[in-house]
PDB file of all heavy atoms in Angstrom:
ATOM      1  N   LYS A 259     -53.152  69.596 -14.014  1.00 92.00           N
ATOM      2  CA  LYS A 259     -52.647  68.940 -12.808  1.00 92.00           C
ATOM      3  C   LYS A 259     -53.767  68.222 -12.054  1.00 92.00           C
ATOM      4  O   LYS A 259     -53.567  67.128 -11.528  1.00 92.00           O
ATOM      5  CB  LYS A 259     -51.980  69.966 -11.888  1.00 92.00           C
ATOM      6  CG  LYS A 259     -50.631  70.415 -12.379  1.00 92.00           C
ATOM      7  CD  LYS A 259     -50.006  71.405 -11.420  1.00 92.00           C
ATOM      8  CE  LYS A 259     -48.621  71.818 -11.881  1.00 92.00           C
ATOM      9  NZ  LYS A 259     -48.006  72.792 -10.967  1.00 92.00           N
ATOM     10  N   LEU A 260     -54.949  68.843 -11.997  1.00 92.00           N
ATOM     11  CA  LEU A 260     -56.081  68.200 -11.330  1.00 92.00           C
ATOM     12  C   LEU A 260     -56.503  66.931 -12.054  1.00 92.00           C
ATOM     13  O   LEU A 260     -56.800  65.910 -11.419  1.00 92.00           O
ATOM     14  CB  LEU A 260     -57.265  69.164 -11.231  1.00 92.00           C
ATOM     15  CG  LEU A 260     -57.206  70.174 -10.090  1.00 92.00           C
ATOM     16  CD1 LEU A 260     -58.305  71.205 -10.238  1.00 92.00           C
ATOM     17  CD2 LEU A 260     -57.326  69.468  -8.751  1.00 92.00           C
ATOM     18  N   VAL A 261     -56.535  66.974 -13.383  1.00 93.00           N
ATOM     19  CA  VAL A 261     -56.898  65.774 -14.165  1.00 93.00           C
ATOM     20  C   VAL A 261     -55.879  64.669 -13.908  1.00 93.00           C
ATOM     21  O   VAL A 261     -56.246  63.508 -13.752  1.00 93.00           O
ATOM     22  CB  VAL A 261     -57.009  66.114 -15.671  1.00 93.00           C
ATOM     23  CG1 VAL A 261     -57.113  64.854 -16.510  1.00 93.00           C
ATOM     24  CG2 VAL A 261     -58.212  67.017 -15.919  1.00 93.00           C
ATOM     25  N   ALA A 262     -54.599  65.026 -13.846  1.00 93.00           N
ATOM     26  CA  ALA A 262     -53.560  64.018 -13.610  1.00 93.00           C
ATOM     27  C   ALA A 262     -53.622  63.441 -12.199  1.00 93.00           C
ATOM     28  O   ALA A 262     -53.086  62.367 -11.950  1.00 93.00           O
ATOM     29  CB  ALA A 262     -52.188  64.630 -13.861  1.00 93.00           C
ATOM     30  N   SER A 263     -54.287  64.124 -11.269  1.00 92.00           N
ATOM     31  CA  SER A 263     -54.395  63.602  -9.907  1.00 92.00           C
ATOM     32  C   SER A 263     -55.610  62.684  -9.729  1.00 92.00           C
ATOM     33  O   SER A 263     -55.757  62.055  -8.683  1.00 92.00           O
ATOM     34  CB  SER A 263     -54.468  64.768  -8.910  1.00 92.00           C
ATOM     35  OG  SER A 263     -55.679  65.472  -9.050  1.00 92.00           O
ATOM     36  N   LEU A 264     -56.470  62.591 -10.739  1.00 92.00           N
ATOM     37  CA  LEU A 264     -57.645  61.718 -10.671  1.00 92.00           C
ATOM     38  C   LEU A 264     -57.245  60.273 -10.993  1.00 92.00           C
ATOM     39  O   LEU A 264     -56.201  60.048 -11.600  1.00 92.00           O
ATOM     40  CB  LEU A 264     -58.694  62.187 -11.678  1.00 92.00           C
ATOM     41  CG  LEU A 264     -59.346  63.539 -11.403  1.00 92.00           C
ATOM     42  CD1 LEU A 264     -60.144  63.988 -12.629  1.00 92.00           C
ATOM     43  CD2 LEU A 264     -60.236  63.457 -10.192  1.00 92.00           C
ATOM     44  N   PRO A 265     -58.073  59.303 -10.653  1.00 91.00           N
ATOM     45  CA  PRO A 265     -57.782  57.924 -11.056  1.00 91.00           C
ATOM     46  C   PRO A 265     -57.965  57.747 -12.573  1.00 91.00           C
ATOM     47  O   PRO A 265     -58.676  58.517 -13.209  1.00 91.00           O
ATOM     48  CB  PRO A 265     -58.797  57.081 -10.277  1.00 91.00           C
ATOM     49  CG  PRO A 265     -59.788  58.003  -9.735  1.00 91.00           C
ATOM     50  CD  PRO A 265     -59.236  59.387  -9.772  1.00 91.00           C
ATOM     51  N   CYS A 266     -57.327  56.734 -13.113  1.00 91.00           N
ATOM     52  CA  CYS A 266     -57.410  56.448 -14.556  1.00 91.00           C
ATOM     53  C   CYS A 266     -58.861  56.202 -14.960  1.00 91.00           C
ATOM     54  O   CYS A 266     -59.589  55.488 -14.284  1.00 91.00           O
ATOM     55  CB  CYS A 266     -56.561  55.218 -14.863  1.00 91.00           C
ATOM     56  SG  CYS A 266     -56.673  54.648 -16.575  1.00 91.00           S
ATOM     57  N   ALA A 267     -59.263  56.799 -16.074  1.00 91.00           N
ATOM     58  CA  ALA A 267     -60.643  56.647 -16.545  1.00 91.00           C
ATOM     59  C   ALA A 267     -60.907  55.243 -17.084  1.00 91.00           C
ATOM     60  O   ALA A 267     -62.047  54.799 -17.115  1.00 91.00           O
ATOM     61  CB  ALA A 267     -60.933  57.684 -17.643  1.00 91.00           C
ATOM     62  N   ALA A 268     -59.875  54.527 -17.489  1.00 89.00           N
ATOM     63  CA  ALA A 268     -60.060  53.202 -18.062  1.00 89.00           C
ATOM     64  C   ALA A 268     -60.103  52.113 -16.991  1.00 89.00           C
ATOM     65  O   ALA A 268     -60.947  51.233 -17.039  1.00 89.00           O
ATOM     66  CB  ALA A 268     -58.952  52.901 -19.060  1.00 89.00           C
ATOM     67  N   CYS A 269     -59.177  52.181 -16.006  1.00 86.00           N
ATOM     68  CA  CYS A 269     -59.086  51.076 -15.040  1.00 86.00           C
ATOM     69  C   CYS A 269     -59.284  51.498 -13.590  1.00 86.00           C
ATOM     70  O   CYS A 269     -59.451  50.636 -12.728  1.00 86.00           O
ATOM     71  CB  CYS A 269     -57.735  50.381 -15.172  1.00 86.00           C
ATOM     72  SG  CYS A 269     -56.340  51.406 -14.651  1.00 86.00           S
ATOM     73  N   GLY A 270     -59.254  52.786 -13.306  1.00 86.00           N
ATOM     74  CA  GLY A 270     -59.427  53.243 -11.934  1.00 86.00           C
ATOM     75  C   GLY A 270     -58.150  53.266 -11.126  1.00 86.00           C
ATOM     76  O   GLY A 270     -58.159  53.620  -9.958  1.00 86.00           O
ATOM     77  N   GLY A 271     -57.018  52.896 -11.761  1.00 86.00           N
ATOM     78  CA  GLY A 271     -55.734  52.904 -11.056  1.00 86.00           C
ATOM     79  C   GLY A 271     -55.282  54.327 -10.745  1.00 86.00           C
ATOM     80  O   GLY A 271     -55.605  55.270 -11.449  1.00 86.00           O
ATOM     81  N   ARG A 272     -54.510  54.469  -9.661  1.00 84.00           N
ATOM     82  CA  ARG A 272     -54.076  55.795  -9.248  1.00 84.00           C
ATOM     83  C   ARG A 272     -52.587  56.031  -9.471  1.00 84.00           C
ATOM     84  O   ARG A 272     -52.098  57.118  -9.222  1.00 84.00           O
ATOM     85  CB  ARG A 272     -54.420  56.024  -7.783  1.00 84.00           C
ATOM     86  CG  ARG A 272     -55.896  56.172  -7.551  1.00 84.00           C
ATOM     87  CD  ARG A 272     -56.154  56.638  -6.141  1.00 84.00           C
ATOM     88  NE  ARG A 272     -57.556  56.954  -5.933  1.00 84.00           N
ATOM     89  CZ  ARG A 272     -58.081  58.172  -6.099  1.00 84.00           C
ATOM     90  NH1 ARG A 272     -57.337  59.154  -6.499  1.00 84.00           N
ATOM     91  NH2 ARG A 272     -59.358  58.367  -5.874  1.00 84.00           N
ATOM     92  N   GLY A 273     -51.837  55.056  -9.921  1.00 83.00           N
ATOM     93  CA  GLY A 273     -50.395  55.225 -10.105  1.00 83.00           C
ATOM     94  C   GLY A 273     -50.048  55.718 -11.505  1.00 83.00           C
ATOM     95  O   GLY A 273     -50.614  55.267 -12.491  1.00 83.00           O
ATOM     96  N   ASP A 274     -49.137  56.647 -11.601  1.00 89.00           N
ATOM     97  CA  ASP A 274     -48.630  57.181 -12.871  1.00 89.00           C
ATOM     98  C   ASP A 274     -49.747  57.657 -13.811  1.00 89.00           C
ATOM     99  O   ASP A 274     -49.744  57.341 -14.994  1.00 89.00           O
ATOM    100  CB  ASP A 274     -47.780  56.135 -13.610  1.00 89.00           C
ATOM    101  CG  ASP A 274     -46.502  55.810 -12.849  1.00 89.00           C
ATOM    102  OD1 ASP A 274     -46.023  56.678 -12.111  1.00 89.00           O
ATOM    103  OD2 ASP A 274     -46.013  54.683 -12.996  1.00 89.00           O
ATOM    104  N   VAL A 275     -50.680  58.420 -13.299  1.00 93.00           N
ATOM    105  CA  VAL A 275     -51.773  58.950 -14.122  1.00 93.00           C
ATOM    106  C   VAL A 275     -51.328  60.252 -14.762  1.00 93.00           C
ATOM    107  O   VAL A 275     -50.700  61.091 -14.124  1.00 93.00           O
ATOM    108  CB  VAL A 275     -53.046  59.147 -13.282  1.00 93.00           C
ATOM    109  CG1 VAL A 275     -54.150  59.800 -14.087  1.00 93.00           C
ATOM    110  CG2 VAL A 275     -53.523  57.813 -12.729  1.00 93.00           C
ATOM    111  N   VAL A 276     -51.629  60.416 -16.046  1.00 93.00           N
ATOM    112  CA  VAL A 276     -51.328  61.640 -16.791  1.00 93.00           C
ATOM    113  C   VAL A 276     -52.602  62.156 -17.441  1.00 93.00           C
ATOM    114  O   VAL A 276     -53.568  61.426 -17.593  1.00 93.00           O
ATOM    115  CB  VAL A 276     -50.242  61.408 -17.877  1.00 93.00           C
ATOM    116  CG1 VAL A 276     -48.913  61.038 -17.264  1.00 93.00           C
ATOM    117  CG2 VAL A 276     -50.684  60.357 -18.865  1.00 93.00           C
ATOM    118  N   ALA A 277     -52.578  63.409 -17.829  1.00 92.00           N
ATOM    119  CA  ALA A 277     -53.705  64.017 -18.534  1.00 92.00           C
ATOM    120  C   ALA A 277     -53.528  63.761 -20.023  1.00 92.00           C
ATOM    121  O   ALA A 277     -52.606  64.298 -20.642  1.00 92.00           O
ATOM    122  CB  ALA A 277     -53.772  65.516 -18.244  1.00 92.00           C
ATOM    123  N   HIS A 278     -54.376  62.919 -20.610  1.00 91.00           N
ATOM    124  CA  HIS A 278     -54.306  62.601 -22.045  1.00 91.00           C
ATOM    125  C   HIS A 278     -55.115  63.627 -22.817  1.00 91.00           C
ATOM    126  O   HIS A 278     -56.298  63.834 -22.563  1.00 91.00           O
ATOM    127  CB  HIS A 278     -54.862  61.195 -22.294  1.00 91.00           C
ATOM    128  CG  HIS A 278     -55.147  60.917 -23.733  1.00 91.00           C
ATOM    129  ND1 HIS A 278     -54.149  60.850 -24.681  1.00 91.00           N
ATOM    130  CD2 HIS A 278     -56.315  60.715 -24.388  1.00 91.00           C
ATOM    131  CE1 HIS A 278     -54.713  60.606 -25.866  1.00 91.00           C
ATOM    132  NE2 HIS A 278     -56.023  60.520 -25.701  1.00 91.00           N
ATOM    133  N   HIS A 279     -54.486  64.318 -23.771  1.00 87.00           N
ATOM    134  CA  HIS A 279     -55.188  65.250 -24.648  1.00 87.00           C
ATOM    135  C   HIS A 279     -55.868  64.436 -25.755  1.00 87.00           C
ATOM    136  O   HIS A 279     -55.195  63.705 -26.485  1.00 87.00           O
ATOM    137  CB  HIS A 279     -54.207  66.246 -25.275  1.00 87.00           C
ATOM    138  CG  HIS A 279     -53.637  67.217 -24.285  1.00 87.00           C
ATOM    139  ND1 HIS A 279     -52.585  66.890 -23.466  1.00 87.00           N
ATOM    140  CD2 HIS A 279     -53.995  68.466 -23.987  1.00 87.00           C
ATOM    141  CE1 HIS A 279     -52.312  67.928 -22.704  1.00 87.00           C
ATOM    142  NE2 HIS A 279     -53.151  68.906 -22.993  1.00 87.00           N
ATOM    143  N   LEU A 280     -57.166  64.556 -25.847  1.00 87.00           N
ATOM    144  CA  LEU A 280     -57.908  63.814 -26.867  1.00 87.00           C
ATOM    145  C   LEU A 280     -57.420  64.196 -28.250  1.00 87.00           C
ATOM    146  O   LEU A 280     -57.024  65.339 -28.489  1.00 87.00           O
ATOM    147  CB  LEU A 280     -59.407  64.076 -26.736  1.00 87.00           C
ATOM    148  CG  LEU A 280     -60.045  63.594 -25.434  1.00 87.00           C
ATOM    149  CD1 LEU A 280     -61.490  64.027 -25.374  1.00 87.00           C
ATOM    150  CD2 LEU A 280     -59.942  62.096 -25.300  1.00 87.00           C
ATOM    151  N   CYS A 281     -57.447  63.240 -29.176  1.00 78.00           N
ATOM    152  CA  CYS A 281     -56.931  63.469 -30.526  1.00 78.00           C
ATOM    153  C   CYS A 281     -58.032  63.501 -31.574  1.00 78.00           C
ATOM    154  O   CYS A 281     -57.933  64.243 -32.541  1.00 78.00           O
ATOM    155  CB  CYS A 281     -55.944  62.360 -30.908  1.00 78.00           C
ATOM    156  SG  CYS A 281     -54.602  62.145 -29.759  1.00 78.00           S
TER     157      CYS A 281
END
Side-chain angles (χ1 to χ4, degrees):
K259 285 181 178 179
L260 279 171
V261 169
S263 68
L264 293 168
C266 175
C269 68
R272 290 190 173 268
D274 295 332
V275 175
V276 295
H278 166 66
H279 291 81
L280 296 175
C281 305

